[in-house]
């Protein structure tokens, strides 16, 4: 295996994210791992380390009793090897590799439409402003009946199948039959596929006078440039303090995290360094040519248990240099860097090559155990690699220049802790999320007519009417779920907040969802309290 001159290093979490919504345009909003095409793997002959594997594959291909798909056998062998290394190394077939690259690059060829599967019918819940679907005349609330000649309504069709029907080369056409306001439209809508760009920033706005707020979804190829522009715009609006929200950000491109972190320092600072068994120590510094665009001013970074890898690099550098205050809950604890190696058929191996360390030398990687010891125990050889690590155990202690104690091992521990909401952990609420009951309720009741108010009025004063919560409870009970009056009262604020945010998203777009949700968000409230001026 030889490395080419072009290397693309990335970090990303491999935990699963629950997708509440499917994306017709081939892009999802979940945080997944991936990278740009990197080093190419080419056949270099057999070696003392690989001859048995290759000989076995040749033997199966030439002598096995039944004909087999040798590609599938190879894929299985590769997956078996990779699965025993660490929790992050992975093998991606060509489709998966292409999809992850599109997600992190934020560009792809599609039509700019998002749908939700409501009672086995695909309903449009979002359109990209100025995108092909928007220009073609689609509306939020439209229900898709046929895509081309393929019927999709009532067919229990998978998201992957829908994408294959929707996606295609830029400039090509697709005809979609639609049901609108309860009536099937006479003619299908023609839409011309185009290049679609999706920002890696969920929302940028002034959350209070003098306080800017930016939520970063992932570290894609354009994140640093988008973040820099967002900072400039917020400062024009008077932002002197900033809340950087990295909750649920599973990572992305390693170098984008370094570039984004550079915005918080006026001089040259070590952001992170990497080192591995086959990788010498490599240090990465902030860009000191011009200084960051938010090198001064109070900074709060929000993290939670799903803040991982590239996000932890940013949070770790800010914490080690006493540049800002970390608010939230202990982060995921992913301190390993991957490099992507490409096979000639388009498949890729994302291989862990080094550990990364914060400026003070902290490793935030949580414990895992390589699984090769299970090779004899065939029933358990595919079990997970994680060691028991349910409680935070302080590793080596470090001290910042300001005298603050920070620790290695098991993620970034916040400076200000935000307790977990017990209501959000309740089994009933988790069932509501798993079965998408809140989405079903909103998309059933709130798509029948357009809102009678502006986005400004909605964000400032909209609250769910008193009777709607009772209607929602009855809706859930009709689906066979049992909820006591006590639990109904305990969950009311949380569920109403979810409904209000989703209504905002439906009527006014993705940014409105986060603006509404932040009104009662405990992390955000804790950050704003910290940023309040002292007398």
């Amino acid at each position: 295996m030889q490395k080419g001159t072009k290397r693309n290093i990335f970090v990303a979490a491999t935990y699963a994210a629950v997708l509440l919504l499917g994306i017709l345009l081939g892009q999802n909003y979940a945080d997944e791992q991936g990278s740009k095409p990197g080093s190419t793997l080419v056949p270099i002959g057999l070696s003392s380390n690989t001859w048995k594997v290759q000989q076995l594959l040749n033997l199966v291909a030439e002598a096995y009793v039944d004909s087999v798909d040798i590609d599938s056998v190879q894929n299985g062998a590769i997956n078996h090897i990779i699965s025993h290394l660490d929790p992050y190394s992975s093998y991606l077939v060509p489709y998966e590799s292409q999809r992850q690259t599109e997600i992190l690059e934020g560009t792809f060829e599609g039509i700019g439409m998002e749908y939700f599967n409501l009672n086995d019918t695909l309903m449009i819940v979002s359109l990209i402003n100025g995108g092909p679907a928007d220009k073609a005349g689609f509306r939020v609330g439209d229900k898709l009946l046929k895509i081309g000649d393929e019927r999709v309504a009532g067919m229990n069709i998978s998201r992957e199948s829908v994408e294959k029907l929707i996606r295609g080369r830029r400039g090509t056409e697709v005809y979609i039959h639609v049901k609108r306001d309860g009536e099937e439209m006479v003619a299908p809508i023609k839409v011309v596929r185009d290049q679609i760009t999706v920002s890696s920033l969920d929302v940028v706005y002034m959350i209070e006078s003098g306080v800017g707020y930016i939520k970063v979804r992932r570290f894609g190829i354009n994140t640093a440039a988008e973040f820099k522009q967002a900072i400039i715009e917020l400062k024009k609006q008077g932002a002197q303090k900033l809340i950087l929200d990295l909750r649920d950000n599973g990572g992305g491109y390693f170098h984008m995290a370094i570039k984004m972190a550079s915005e918080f320092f006026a001089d040259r600072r070590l952001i992170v360094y990497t080192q591995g068994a086959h990788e010498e120590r490599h240090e990465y510094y902030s860009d000191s040519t011009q200084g960051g665009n938010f090198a001064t001013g109070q900074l709060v970074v929000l993290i939670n248990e799903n803040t991982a890898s590239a996000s932890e690099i940013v949070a770790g550098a800010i914490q080690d240099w006493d540049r800002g205050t970390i608010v939230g809950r202990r982060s995921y604890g992913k301190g390993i860097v991957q490099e992507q190696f490409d096979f000639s058929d388009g498949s890729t191996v994302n291989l862990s090559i080094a550990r990364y360390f914060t400026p003070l030398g902290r490793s935030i990687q949580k414990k895992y155990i390589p699984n090769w010891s299970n090779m004899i125990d065939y029933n358990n050889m595919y079990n997970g690699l994680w060691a028991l690590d349910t409680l935070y155990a302080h590793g080596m202690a470090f001290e910042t220049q300001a005298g603050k104690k920070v620790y290695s091992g098991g993620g970034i521990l916040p400076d200000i802790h935000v307790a977990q909401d017990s209501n959000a952990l309740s089994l009933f609420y988790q069932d509501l999320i798993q079965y998408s009951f809140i989405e079903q309720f909103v998309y059933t009741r709130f798509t029948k007519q357009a809102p009678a108010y502006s986005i400004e009025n909605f964000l400032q004063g909209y609250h769910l009417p008193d009777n709607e919560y009772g209607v929602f409870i009855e809706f859930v009970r009709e689906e066979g779920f049992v909820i006591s009056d006590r639990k109904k009262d305990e969950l009311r604020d949380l569920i109403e907040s979810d409904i209000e945010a989703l209504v905002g998203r439906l009527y006014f777009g993705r940014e409105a969802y986060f603006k509404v949700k932040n009104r009662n968000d405990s992390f955000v409230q804790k950050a704003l309290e910290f940023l309040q001026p002292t007398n």
Side-chain angles (χ1 to χ4, degrees):
M1 183 185 300
Q2 295 179 338
K3 297 178 185 177
T5 57
K6 182 179 179 183
R7 304 181 64 203
N8 295 280
I9 298 175
F10 68 99
V11 283
T14 54
Y15 54 82
V18 178
L19 297 180
L20 300 181
L21 300 171
I23 310 296
L24 283 179
L25 37 75
Q27 169 79 7
N28 66 42
Y29 291 113
D31 298 308
E32 300 178 35
Q33 68 173 2
S35 83
K36 296 174 65 179
S39 304
T40 300
L41 294 172
V42 295
I44 56 176
L46 301 181
S47 72
S48 59
N49 297 323
T50 62
W51 68 270
K52 285 200 295 186
V53 175
Q54 186 61 57
Q55 194 173 57
L56 177 60
L57 289 172
N58 291 340
L59 188 63
V60 170
E62 296 171 3
Y64 184 61
V65 62
D66 295 320
S67 61
V68 296
D69 183 344
I70 200 66
D71 286 339
S72 295
V73 174
Q74 285 191 108
N75 289 344
I78 294 171
N79 274 317
H80 177 79
I81 293 171
I82 294 295
S83 70
H84 285 76
L85 297 178
D86 62 79
Y88 313 111
S89 294
S90 61
Y91 171 68
L92 305 178
V93 298
Y95 169 78
E96 295 170 329
S97 179
Q98 178 186 3
R99 182 175 179 81
Q100 289 195 350
T101 298
E102 289 177 341
I103 288 168
L104 283 180
E105 292 192 354
T107 59
F108 47 91
E109 293 179 345
I111 64 174
M113 174 193 296
E114 185 178 350
Y115 75 92
F116 179 81
N117 194 330
L118 181 66
N119 300 322
D120 208 12
T121 299
L122 310 181
M123 186 178 74
I124 298 174
V125 297
S126 179
L127 296 166
I128 291 180
N129 290 334
D134 185 29
K135 291 179 180 178
F138 286 95
R139 299 178 188 172
V140 170
D142 285 350
K143 297 179 179 178
L144 311 185
L145 303 178
K146 291 175 63 178
I147 301 174
D149 296 326
E150 189 83 16
R151 185 164 187 86
V152 295
M155 305 302 293
N156 194 28
I157 191 168
S158 68
R159 178 170 55 87
E160 290 76 12
S161 297
V162 173
E163 287 184 0
K164 289 179 181 178
L165 294 172
I166 286 289
R167 296 176 60 167
R169 293 193 315 275
R170 181 179 184 178
T172 58
E173 302 172 347
V174 60
Y175 291 82
I176 301 178
H177 296 257
V178 169
K179 186 176 184 179
R180 178 175 294 169
D181 299 329
E183 299 290 335
E184 182 174 353
M185 297 180 67
V186 176
I189 299 176
K190 181 183 79 170
V191 56
V192 180
R193 300 179 179 97
D194 202 350
Q195 193 77 16
I196 305 296
T197 300
V198 176
S199 174
S200 56
L201 309 185
D202 276 322
V203 61
V204 178
Y205 72 109
M206 294 293 293
I207 194 166
E208 278 190 1
S209 177
V211 183
Y213 173 94
I214 302 176
K215 182 171 177 60
V216 182
R217 183 188 319 159
R218 69 176 68 87
F219 287 88
I221 198 167
N222 297 314
T223 300
E226 292 171 347
F227 186 78
K228 178 179 180 179
Q229 187 59 40
I231 289 291
I232 292 172
E233 293 300 321
L234 286 175
K235 289 178 72 174
K236 288 180 181 178
Q237 298 174 48
Q240 299 174 329
K241 305 174 184 179
L242 179 67
I243 298 173
L244 171 60
D245 194 343
L246 297 180
R247 289 176 296 170
D248 301 316
N249 183 322
Y253 288 135
F254 179 89
H255 291 92
M256 289 301 107
I258 297 165
K259 285 186 176 182
M260 197 182 91
S262 296
E263 296 293 341
F264 301 116
F265 300 99
D267 53 1
R268 179 177 167 85
R269 298 289 182 97
L270 177 65
I271 301 299
V272 66
Y273 69 88
T274 61
Q275 195 167 11
H278 304 288
E279 293 282 330
E280 295 182 357
R281 173 168 169 151
H282 194 120
E283 297 180 345
Y284 299 86
Y285 288 84
S286 61
D287 184 0
S288 61
T289 55
Q290 295 180 337
N293 285 281
F294 201 80
T296 60
Q298 280 187 278
L299 172 65
V300 170
V301 181
L302 305 183
I303 65 172
N304 66 2
E305 54 277 0
N306 295 326
T307 299
S309 48
S311 300
E312 291 172 296
I313 287 175
V314 175
I318 289 170
Q319 190 176 52
D320 280 13
W321 286 113
D322 297 307
R323 175 59 190 90
T325 301
I326 311 299
V327 173
R329 291 195 288 272
R330 175 189 172 193
S331 64
Y332 183 78
K334 196 270 186 182
I336 292 181
V337 181
Q338 282 78 51
E339 182 176 352
Q340 179 172 298
F341 297 87
D342 299 334
F343 288 102
S344 58
D345 67 347
S347 59
T348 59
V349 168
N350 297 330
L351 187 69
S352 296
I353 61 168
R355 294 178 184 272
Y356 74 74
F357 300 84
T358 70
L360 288 177
R362 292 190 288 158
S363 170
I364 53 85
Q365 176 60 49
K366 63 182 176 180
K367 295 179 181 178
Y368 66 89
I369 299 175
N371 215 19
W372 290 107
S373 60
N374 284 336
M375 285 298 293
I376 305 303
D377 184 0
Y378 291 103
N379 291 325
N380 296 314
M381 68 185 341
Y382 292 106
N383 284 355
L385 303 169
W386 295 114
L388 292 176
D389 188 28
T390 56
L391 299 177
Y392 182 82
H394 287 321
M396 186 183 298
F398 297 79
E399 188 171 308
T400 69
Q401 291 179 353
K404 180 172 58 182
K405 293 283 187 175
V406 292
Y407 301 90
S408 63
I412 300 292
L413 199 65
D415 303 311
I416 299 175
H417 180 72
V418 177
Q420 179 68 268
D421 182 358
S422 60
N423 286 323
L425 295 176
S426 71
L427 292 178
F428 181 80
Y429 182 75
Q430 291 300 315
D431 282 341
L432 294 183
I433 300 301
Q434 179 180 352
Y435 295 103
S436 303
F437 280 123
I438 296 174
E439 287 84 358
Q440 292 181 45
F441 178 75
V442 170
Y443 297 144
T444 298
R445 288 185 65 82
F446 291 89
T447 56
K448 297 177 181 178
Q449 59 184 21
Y453 27 75
S454 68
I455 183 172
E456 290 79 12
N457 291 335
F458 181 90
L459 295 175
Q460 290 176 3
Y462 176 80
H463 293 284
L464 197 69
D466 290 339
N467 66 306
E468 286 295 332
Y469 184 67
V471 175
F472 172 77
I473 294 299
E474 289 306 311
F475 166 76
V476 172
R477 284 172 171 166
E478 288 175 2
E479 294 294 326
F481 281 78
V482 177
I483 179 173
S484 66
D485 289 338
R486 177 182 175 183
K487 181 59 66 175
K488 178 186 70 173
D489 294 338
E490 290 175 349
L491 293 176
R492 178 163 188 157
D493 289 344
L494 178 60
I495 293 174
E496 285 190 338
S497 176
D498 287 344
I499 294 175
E500 290 168 0
L502 200 59
V503 170
R505 186 182 192 278
L506 179 68
Y507 287 160
F508 303 111
R510 186 176 181 83
E511 288 193 2
Y513 174 89
F514 293 100
K515 289 179 178 179
V516 173
K517 196 67 179 168
N518 283 348
R519 295 187 308 198
N520 300 306
D521 187 278
S522 58
F523 289 76
V524 172
Q525 296 307 314
K526 187 79 74 172
L528 290 172
E529 289 172 10
F530 175 80
L531 292 173
Q532 289 298 320
T534 56
N535 296 326

